[in-house]
C-alpha cells in the first residue's frame, strides 16, 4: 500500500507532520519511506539517516557543448534556441548548461559540422539507507537547475517497491509539478495537509485536480487550525466539496519548532504535546485505511 502526504502549498508544516507520522507508522508497520521532495529533500535529517547504504544516478540527460575553436560566432544557434540558453562569450558563443534542455535545435541550425556536440549529464541521484527508527528510507535528490524531477521520483518509488515492504509512505513536494504527479500516481491514499488560509486552500484545490485525474482517494489534515478559527468553516466546506474526510486537526504548538531545532520528530521528543496528541489521533485514523 502507498500513502502519500502532499499539500499543494509549501510551508504548511507537511514535513513536520510527515516525520512524526513516519515515527508512529515505523513502530507498527513493515515500512519504507520515500522523500520525493526532490528539489529540497530533508526528511533524512529529521529521521536521522546517518549512513547511506547505496546511491544510484539518474542518467540519460544531455546538454549541448559548443567548441569555441570551431565556432565562427554567427549567432544562429542563440537566435533559435527555444530556451534562450546560448550566450555570447567574446567572439564565440557558449551554452548555459544549467538551462539547456538538450533539444538539438542548435546543432540543426548551426551551418558548420562538428561545432556543437552533446554530453551526458546526471540530473539527480537516489539514495537509500536506514533511519534511526529502524525503517528503510529512500531519498530523491535533484541537482540544481536540472529537469526531470518526475523521472527521479518515479525511479525512487520503483526502488522503494523493490524492498517489498507492506507500506510505502511518500513525502511529496509542494506544488503540482512533475515530481508531485509522480508521487501521487499509484497512491492508494493521499493525505492533503492545509493550513486555514485562502492561499493554502487554493493550492490544495489545484492538487485535488491532479488527484481527480488519477482517481486517487484523499483525506485532509488541517495544520495550525487554531491560528484562524473563523476560517475553519471554509476549510471544512472545502474538504466536503472535494469528498475528503478530515482525519485530523493539528493545533499550533511551539514544540514543533523546538523539535525542528533538535532535528527530531516532535512526537518522539514531546510525546505529550498538543501537536503529538493530534498526530497520534491522525495516525489512529489513518490506520483504518492501511
Ligand atoms: S540543445 Fe536546445 S536548449 Fe540546449 S542549447 Fe541547443 S537549442 Fe538550446
Ligand atoms: S550556429 Fe554554430 S557557428 Fe554559429 S554561433 Fe552557433 S555554434 Fe557558433
Amino acid at each position: 500500500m502507498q500513502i502519500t502526504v502532499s499539500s499543494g502549498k509549501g510551508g504548511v508544516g507537511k514535513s513536520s507532520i510527515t516525520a512524526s507520522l513516519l515515527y508512529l507508522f515505523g513502530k507498527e508497520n513493515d515500512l519504507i519511506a520515500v522523500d520525493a521532495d526532490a528539489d529540497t529533500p530533508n526528511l533524512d535529517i529529521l529521521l536521522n539517516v546517518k549512513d547511506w547504504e547505496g546511491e544510484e544516478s539518474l542518467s540519460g540527460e544531455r546538454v549541448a557543448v559548443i567548441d569555441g575553436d570551431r565556432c565562427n560566432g554567427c549567432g544562429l544557434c542563440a537566435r533559435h534556441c527555444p530556451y534562450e540558453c546560448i550566450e555570447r562569450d567574446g567572439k564565440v558563443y557558449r551554452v548555459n548548461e544549467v538551462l539547456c534542455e538538450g533539444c538539438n535545435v542548435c546543432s540543426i541550425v548551426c551551418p558548420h559540422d562538428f561545432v556543437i556536440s552533446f554530453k551526458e549529464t546526471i540530473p539527480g541521484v537516489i539514495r537509500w539507507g536506514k533511519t534511526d527508527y529502524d525503517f528503510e528510507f529512500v531519498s530523491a535528490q535533484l541537482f540544481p537547475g536540472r529537469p526531470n524531477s518526475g523521472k527521479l521520483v518515479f525511479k525512487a518509488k520503483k526502488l522503494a517497491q523493490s524492498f517489498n515492504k507492506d507500506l510505502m509512505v511518500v513525502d511529496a513536494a509542494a506544488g503540482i509539478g512533475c515530481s508531485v504527479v509522480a508521487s501521487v500516481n499509484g497512491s492508494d491514499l493521499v493525505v492533503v495537509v492545509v493550513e486555514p488560509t485562502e492561499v493554502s486552500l487554493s493550492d490544495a484545490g489545484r492538487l485535488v485536480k491532479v488527484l481527480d485525474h488519477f482517481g486517487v482517494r484523499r483525506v485532509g489534515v488541517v495544520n495550525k487550525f487554531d491560528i484562524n478559527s473563523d476560517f475553519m468553516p471554509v476549510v471544512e466546506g472545502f474538504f466536503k466539496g472535494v469528498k475528503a474526510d478530515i482525519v485530523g486537526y493539528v493545533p499550533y504548538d511551539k514544540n514543533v519548532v523546538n523539535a525542528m531545532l533538535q532535528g527530531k520528530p516532535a512526537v518522539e521528543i514531546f510525546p505529550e504535546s498538543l501537536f503529538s496528541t493530534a498526530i497520534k489521533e491522525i495516525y489512529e485514523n489513518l490506520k483504518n485505511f492501511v
Side-chain angles (χ1 to χ4, degrees):
M1 179 180 192
Q2 183 193 326
I3 297 177
T4 300
V5 186
S6 197
S7 61
K9 182 181 176 301
V12 300
K14 176 177 61 62
S15 291
S16 304
I17 289 173
T18 308
S20 281
L21 282 175
L22 284 170
Y23 175 83
L24 297 174
F25 270 119
K27 283 186 174 305
E28 294 184 336
N29 295 274
D30 186 28
L31 171 71
I32 187 160
V34 178
D35 188 350
D37 191 353
D39 284 322
T40 51
N42 53 26
L43 256 189
D44 57 298
I45 300 169
L46 280 177
L47 298 171
N48 206 4
V49 182
K50 285 199 193 82
D51 299 312
W52 295 106
E53 288 164 15
E55 179 175 306
E56 253 181 41
S57 300
L58 182 71
S59 56
E61 296 307 311
R62 57 183 211 151
V63 292
V65 181
I66 294 174
D67 182 342
D69 293 333
R70 293 172 188 256
C71 171
N72 69 5
C74 70
L76 264 179
C77 55
R79 287 200 290 282
H80 285 85
C81 172
Y83 298 96
E84 299 181 357
C85 58
I86 302 179
E87 304 153 347
R88 182 177 269 286
D89 185 11
K91 290 185 176 164
V92 297
Y93 281 77
R94 69 176 179 81
V95 175
N96 183 333
E97 294 184 9
V98 172
L99 300 177
C100 177
E101 293 280 337
C103 71
N104 208 31
V105 168
C106 52
S107 79
I108 293 169
V109 299
C110 180
H112 304 290
D113 293 334
F114 311 117
V115 179
I116 299 179
S117 57
F118 288 86
K119 71 174 183 186
E120 291 271 317
T121 62
I122 296 173
V125 292
I126 294 156
R127 298 183 293 180
W128 60 93
K130 226 173 197 152
T131 68
D132 242 8
Y133 310 103
D134 216 29
F135 58 83
E136 306 288 345
F137 184 83
V138 177
S139 173
Q141 183 174 4
L142 200 64
F143 293 146
R146 298 317 307 153
N148 280 323
S149 58
K151 263 191 202 170
L152 195 65
V153 168
F154 178 78
K155 196 169 172 186
K157 281 173 57 179
K158 276 271 170 232
L159 181 87
Q161 278 164 2
S162 71
F163 282 77
N164 286 321
K165 299 292 179 181
D166 293 341
L167 176 64
M168 183 198 304
V169 174
V170 178
D171 183 34
I176 52 168
C178 302
S179 75
V180 176
V181 170
S183 296
V184 302
N185 188 17
S187 299
D188 299 288
L189 184 73
V190 170
V191 180
V192 180
V193 180
V194 302
E195 57 184 16
T197 64
E198 196 79 62
V199 177
S200 175
L201 292 194
S202 170
D203 291 352
R206 285 154 57 77
L207 171 65
V208 167
K209 283 187 182 151
V210 177
L211 304 184
D212 284 343
H213 177 79
F214 290 107
V216 181
R217 192 172 184 188
R218 73 295 308 253
V219 292
V221 166
V222 191
N223 193 24
K224 293 181 258 183
F225 74 92
D226 48 350
I227 61 169
N228 193 8
S229 306
D230 292 349
F231 195 70
M232 281 308 293
V234 180
V235 175
E236 283 162 349
F238 167 80
F239 279 117
K240 195 171 176 195
V242 300
K243 298 183 176 56
D245 292 334
I246 297 177
V247 292
Y249 296 85
V250 184
Y252 172 77
D253 186 342
K254 64 182 182 209
N255 285 312
V256 177
V257 180
N258 293 333
M260 272 288 177
L261 292 174
Q262 294 184 48
K264 300 259 183 199
V267 76
E268 178 191 10
I269 51 175
F270 302 112
E272 305 306 326
S273 64
L274 292 173
F275 174 86
S276 298
T277 304
I279 293 294
K280 286 175 196 166
E281 196 176 318
I282 293 168
Y283 172 62
E284 289 301 321
N285 288 333
L286 289 177
K287 272 163 71 175
N288 296 326
F289 294 90
V290 176

